[in-house]
């Protein structure tokens, strides 16, 4: 237990200013050993700057970085023993796969016999054991990125830092490598700090996600927790898709409240509301049921008219106009759909009071 605490990474009140702009603005988080933690945020939100500060390539303007009790804020990068993988593979084109992977060991003066054994192990880890003699240009993009990964793992780093490593790959390959990265993480038990702007990537791989916006962490937690309980419009919108209904609280008790919007009244689970206050409600598209008949078993029911739809194979996404509320998006399983795909046809939308959530306006 003590040994594990000694490996915990602490980022405390990290600030990085470029002139008058704070690229990172008071960021704090903790990463326990062996976790897969993702920094997720739009472009320019400060993700790379946080990662580069951890790696030691960016000098923080303020704040501290610690491993256990050890302050590493000003330690040079080569003394940190952290592996890094970037978006570009940055492999040496004239070196073979094995030579590329051996490079960090050569820099560290590891003897040749040891090097061969460790290179083989690292290549096996990323399932490239048979391709050691190839040159990078003889590999696919996914394979090149796996070489980069092996090169980052070969010196047995304490921590692996990954900055959008899959974003140059096409969609299918990216999904495959997401599985592989996750499996690799489970196998090696190494701490991963992963940076991405891709919410699917963050949701599918991480133990924990910290969502960054304008240099600040706006919310962090497990993927399921963040998806089900976003606290703000920004998080509800950035992580997954959301519909928003802006209402006014009409009645409230300890367990829930009724809010009005465009002549409709909807029920919402959750206490602490004030009558007369504005309430912003977020509803995931898959939590709205679409039906032809008015459903009797839901707290909230409202009629609408189909504006348009998109077919995604497994499901259909409807845009449905609700008088007084606006357009709502609802995802409907395609394989059991009886909804006619016809613009302007009338349908019912329904959801329960705990299918939606009250969020803060940004
Ligand atoms: P992300 O990785 O989330 O896209 P970055 O950490 O790269 O974001 O950048 C955060 C902000 O800091 C951006 O506004 C960016 O323009 C600015 N920034 C990053 N690096 C520098 C730099 N070396 N000089 C000036 N501004 C920078
Ligand atoms: Mg970046």
């Amino acid at each position: 237990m003590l040994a594990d605490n000694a490996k915990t990474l602490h980022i405390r009140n990290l600030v990085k200013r470029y002139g008058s702009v704070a690229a990172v603005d008071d960021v704090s988080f903790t990463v326990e050993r062996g976790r897969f933690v993702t920094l997720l945020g739009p472009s320019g939100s400060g993700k790379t700057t946080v990662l580069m500060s951890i790696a030691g390539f960016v000098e923080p303007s303020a704040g501290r970085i610690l491993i256990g009790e050890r302050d590493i804020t000003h330690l040079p990068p080569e003394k940190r023993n952290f592996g890094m993988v970037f978006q570009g593979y940055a492999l040496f084109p004239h070196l073979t796969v094995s030579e590329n992977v051996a490079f960090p060991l050569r820099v560290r003066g590891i003897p040749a016999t040891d090097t061969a054994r460790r290179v083989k192990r690292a290549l096996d880890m990323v399932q490239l054991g048979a391709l050691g003699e190839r040159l990078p240009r003889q590999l696919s993009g996914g394979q090149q990125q796996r070489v980069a990964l092996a090169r980052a793992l070969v010196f047995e780093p304490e921590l692996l830092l990954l900055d959008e490593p899959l974003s140059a790959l096409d969609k299918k390959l990216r999904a495959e490598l997401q599985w592989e990265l996750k499996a690799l993480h489970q196998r090696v038990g190494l701490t991963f700090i992963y940076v991405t702007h891709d919410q699917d990537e963050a949701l599918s791989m991480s133990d924990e996600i910290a969502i960054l916006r304008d240099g600040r962490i706006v919310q962090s937690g497990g993927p399921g927790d963040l998806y089900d309980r976003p606290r703000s419009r920004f998080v509800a919108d950035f992580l997954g898709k959301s519909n928003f209904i802006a209402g006014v609280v009409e009645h409230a008790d300890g367990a829930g409240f009724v809010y009005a919007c465009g002549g409709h009244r909807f029920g919402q689970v959750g206490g602490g509301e004030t009558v007369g206050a504005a309430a912003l409600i977020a509803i995931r598209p898959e939590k709205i049921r679409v039906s032809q008949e008015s459903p009797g078993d839901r707290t909230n029911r409202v009629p609408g008219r189909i504006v348009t739809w998109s077919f995604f194979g497994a499901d259909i996404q409807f845009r449905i106009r609700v008088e007084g509320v606006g357009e709502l998006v609802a995802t409907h399983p395609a394989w059991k759909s009886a909804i006619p795909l016809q613009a302007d046809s009338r349908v019912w939308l329904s959801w329960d009071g705990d299918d939606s959530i009250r969020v803060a306006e940004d």
Side-chain angles (χ1 to χ4, degrees):
M1 202 60 209
L2 202 65
D4 265 13
N5 287 342
K7 294 273 172 77
T8 301
L9 173 74
H10 303 274
I11 311 295
R12 295 210 180 127
N13 307 103
L14 185 71
V15 176
K16 179 61 186 179
R17 278 184 285 268
Y18 291 108
S20 60
V21 179
V24 177
D25 189 6
D26 198 20
V27 161
S28 298
F29 62 97
T30 296
V31 181
E32 275 165 44
R33 186 187 182 178
R35 301 288 278 174
F36 193 133
V37 173
T38 297
L39 304 173
L40 172 70
S43 170
S45 56
K47 307 181 295 293
T48 295
T49 309
V50 171
L51 207 72
M52 286 301 183
S53 305
I54 298 172
F57 294 110
V58 161
E59 177 82 6
S61 310
R64 300 209 297 158
I65 301 170
L66 301 106
I67 298 274
E69 311 258 283
R70 193 160 59 102
D71 192 325
I72 61 160
T73 316
H74 304 291
L75 198 67
E78 65 274 12
K79 297 224 167 114
R80 296 192 185 197
N81 199 33
F82 296 166
M84 291 208 72
V85 185
F86 305 96
Q87 175 180 343
Y89 323 121
L91 300 177
F92 301 110
H94 56 288
L95 297 185
T96 65
V97 165
S98 289
E99 288 164 348
N100 264 284
V101 175
F103 188 78
L105 300 178
R106 232 170 72 201
V107 173
R108 287 169 171 78
I110 308 281
T113 46
D114 224 18
T115 295
R117 185 181 54 78
R118 285 165 76 167
V119 166
K120 179 168 186 327
R121 215 177 124 226
L123 284 175
D124 284 343
M125 242 184 239
V126 297
Q127 278 134 41
L128 284 181
L131 303 184
E133 295 316 305
R134 289 213 191 160
L135 289 170
R137 67 178 144 79
Q138 297 169 312
L139 300 178
S140 70
Q143 289 169 330
Q144 289 186 44
Q145 195 53 295
R146 298 216 301 257
V147 176
L149 202 57
R151 190 178 52 183
L153 291 169
V154 75
F155 58 95
E156 290 165 20
E158 260 180 81
L159 197 76
L160 194 59
L161 305 169
L162 306 106
D163 193 350
E164 316 236 9
L166 308 183
S167 57
L169 307 174
D170 67 51
K171 194 176 169 200
K172 199 160 176 196
L173 196 55
R174 209 159 63 216
E176 244 168 65
L177 278 176
Q178 282 169 22
W179 284 108
E180 268 188 43
L181 266 179
K182 195 174 159 101
L184 180 74
H185 174 255
Q186 284 168 347
R187 272 202 312 279
V188 298
L190 192 66
T191 309
F192 279 34
I193 304 184
Y194 194 96
V195 157
T196 183
H197 67 276
D198 181 328
Q199 44 143 334
D200 292 329
E201 217 163 274
L203 286 171
S204 65
M205 294 194 291
S206 323
D207 295 319
E208 282 166 61
I209 302 171
I211 299 182
L212 273 139
R213 184 189 195 192
D214 298 335
R216 290 174 167 267
I217 293 178
V218 289
Q219 193 175 348
S220 59
D225 182 50
L226 284 178
Y227 188 83
D228 286 339
R229 283 177 288 283
R231 285 203 293 261
S232 61
R233 180 194 278 267
F234 177 80
V235 172
D237 211 24
F238 191 70
L239 197 74
K241 293 191 177 70
S242 259
N243 294 288
F244 294 99
I245 301 178
V248 173
V249 177
E250 284 207 337
H251 306 282
D253 61 31
F257 59 96
V258 173
Y259 60 98
C261 175
H264 306 280
R265 260 169 205 81
F266 302 115
Q268 174 65 38
V269 167
E273 299 300 326
T274 315
V275 171
L280 184 66
I281 308 296
I283 318 177
R284 300 289 186 195
E286 71 274 17
K287 292 197 172 169
I288 299 179
R289 188 201 285 175
V290 184
S291 56
Q292 282 184 286
E293 306 298 325
S294 172
D297 59 342
R298 292 286 162 116
T299 315
N300 299 307
R301 295 185 288 274
V302 66
R305 286 187 187 277
I306 294 177
V307 177
T308 185
W309 62 90
S310 292
F311 181 67
F312 288 101
D315 44 54
I316 301 170
Q317 224 169 63
F318 287 106
R319 287 193 163 273
I320 297 163
R321 169 135 216 100
V322 175
E323 201 59 47
V325 172
E327 269 182 30
L328 298 179
V329 175
T331 308
H332 188 69
W335 45 275
K336 62 173 186 187
S337 179
I339 309 292
L341 299 178
Q342 200 177 351
D344 217 36
S345 65
R346 193 178 144 101
V347 288
W348 284 86
L349 305 182
S350 57
W351 65 95
D352 281 328
D354 58 355
D355 291 333
S356 46
I357 187 166
R358 162 103 196 250
V359 295
E361 190 60 86
D362 295 317

